């Protein structure tokens, strides 16, 4: 039985001192909510503080990106080994903001995914269609192709450490949300693609989150859908009360 995973994506928000205060506040609020996994994906400079603050709680810590090389001449970049050594458990890869603003492609998403998995990180792999693709009726083809390209050469064993976050780009940070039916249907298409690539059991086991303006008001309905196994949450993950309401809905 797959577990719901509720992950916050803080983007470029929160300093280390704000991180410490946030987790100190959140920990008692989500205590005992163990039916879902709770992850906070935070800026690189906040990770060490987050790991320390989350010790002894049910909150896990993730990064928002990782470089695809194991080490080398990549000024300003962060490797998977660096993340691992400071206690990072998860990493978001392929977020639409990275695809849109930083030239991320399915090829680099695939490289980063393989490097992160090799280092023992759990990957939250983001994919989803842009508005024009949904309007053109090609969402299924787009997410299916992204799933195939982003997971190329990822073994069935390594897939156990991959969560897919279906994030329609038109819904991220816009206040527009996919309807529960749209989220369920497209997460279902991704699951069917996993079945083709890795078999029925892998498709049954993989966690597929929905992301895109999920909040304390709409989480329950979205999470009730059979193919939606949690959420990747941006804006609403920056407030402990809103985030806790989402965790409660998943739990
Ligand atoms: C995200 O950053 O992945 C996201 C879904 O953001 P928001 O919840 O703000 O739309």
């Amino acid at each position: 039985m797959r577990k719901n995973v509720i992950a916050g994506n803080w983007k470029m928000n929160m300093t280390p001192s704000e991180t410490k205060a946030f987790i100190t506040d959140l920990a008692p609020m989500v205590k005992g909510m163990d039916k879902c996994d709770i992850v906070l994906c935070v800026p690189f400079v906040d990770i060490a503080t987050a790991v320390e603050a989350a010790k002894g709680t049910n909150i896990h810590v993730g990064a928002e990106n990782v470089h695809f090389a194991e080490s080398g001449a990549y000024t300003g970049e962060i490797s998977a080994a660096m993340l691992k050594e400071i206690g990072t458990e998860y990493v978001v890869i392929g977020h639409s903001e990275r695809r849109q603003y930083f030239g991320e492609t399915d090829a680099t998403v695939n490289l980063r995914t393989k490097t992160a998995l090799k280092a023992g990180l759990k990957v939250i792999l983001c994919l989803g269609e842009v508005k024009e693709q949904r309007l053109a009726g090609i969402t299924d083809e787009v997410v299916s192709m992204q799933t195939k390209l982003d997971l190329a050469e990822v073994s069935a064993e390594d897939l156990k450490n991959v969560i897919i976050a279906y994030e329609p780009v038109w819904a991220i940070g816009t206040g527009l949300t996919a309807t529960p039916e749209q989220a369920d249907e497209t997460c279902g298409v991704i699951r069917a693609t996993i079945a083709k690539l890795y078999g029925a059991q892998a498709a049954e086991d993989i966690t597929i989150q929905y992301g895109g303006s999920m909040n304390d008001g709409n989480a329950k309905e979205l999470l009730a859908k059979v193919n939606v196994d949690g959420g990747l949450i941006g804006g609403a993950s920056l407030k402990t009360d809103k985030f806790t309401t989402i965790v409660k809905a998943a739990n």
Side-chain angles (χ1 to χ4, degrees):
M1 191 54 189
R2 55 186 183 258
K3 227 178 180 185
N4 272 330
V5 179
I6 298 296
N9 171 29
W10 280 1
K11 315 194 188 203
M12 198 172 70
N13 294 294
M14 302 272 200
T15 63
S17 59
E18 288 167 342
T19 300
K20 188 173 177 195
F22 184 98
I23 295 179
T24 306
D25 197 20
L26 179 69
M29 296 168 83
V30 297
K31 194 173 174 197
M33 296 189 194
D34 293 327
K35 287 196 198 119
C36 70
D37 287 337
I38 305 167
V39 185
L40 292 177
C41 297
V42 305
F44 290 131
V45 295
D46 295 337
I47 292 174
T49 306
V51 167
E52 187 57 34
K55 262 188 196 146
T57 75
N58 53 342
I59 299 167
H60 301 264
V61 178
E64 299 177 11
N65 189 27
V66 64
H67 198 261
F68 46 76
E70 288 183 10
S71 64
Y74 298 98
T75 303
E77 291 296 323
I78 302 287
S79 76
M82 292 171 191
L83 293 177
K84 192 71 188 154
E85 190 171 315
I86 60 167
T88 316
E89 284 183 73
Y90 291 79
V91 60
V92 173
I93 294 180
H95 192 278
S96 71
E97 286 151 17
R98 297 222 53 94
R99 294 181 191 250
Q100 187 179 349
Y101 304 129
F102 301 102
E104 194 80 68
T105 63
D106 287 313
T108 56
V109 168
N110 175 247
L111 287 174
R112 286 179 212 272
T113 298
K114 288 187 288 189
T115 302
L117 290 168
K118 192 173 168 200
L121 292 164
K122 292 182 183 135
V123 170
I124 299 177
L125 169 63
C126 302
L127 52 88
E129 81 287 2
V130 298
K131 188 172 154 200
E132 292 71 22
Q133 292 166 333
R134 179 155 286 268
L135 292 176
I138 57 170
T139 296
D140 295 2
E141 288 91 330
V142 170
V143 298
S144 168
M145 186 186 70
Q146 288 177 325
T147 304
K148 288 177 190 165
L149 293 173
D150 296 352
L151 290 174
E153 297 170 353
V154 170
S155 69
E157 196 50 35
D158 277 347
L159 187 75
K160 292 178 184 157
N161 288 316
V162 175
I163 290 168
I164 295 180
Y166 164 56
E167 298 211 304
V169 179
W170 49 270
I172 298 175
T174 58
L176 296 174
T177 317
T179 64
E181 291 68 32
Q182 285 171 328
D184 190 42
E185 190 188 336
T186 309
C187 288
V189 170
I190 296 168
R191 203 177 297 288
T193 308
I194 293 291
K196 271 190 212 140
L197 295 172
Y198 294 96
Q201 193 58 52
E204 186 55 35
D205 292 344
I206 194 164
T207 293
I208 304 180
Q209 301 171 312
Y210 167 78
S213 301
M214 187 187 272
N215 58 40
D216 46 332
N218 60 26
K220 204 170 170 184
E221 261 190 303
L222 286 159
L223 293 168
K225 290 295 178 188
V226 67
N227 280 306
V228 178
D229 311 319
L232 182 60
I233 296 120
S237 73
L238 295 168
K239 297 271 177 252
T240 50
D241 53 346
K242 289 186 184 191
F243 191 64
T244 301
T245 302
I246 299 170
V247 172
K248 215 178 262 175
N251 201 56

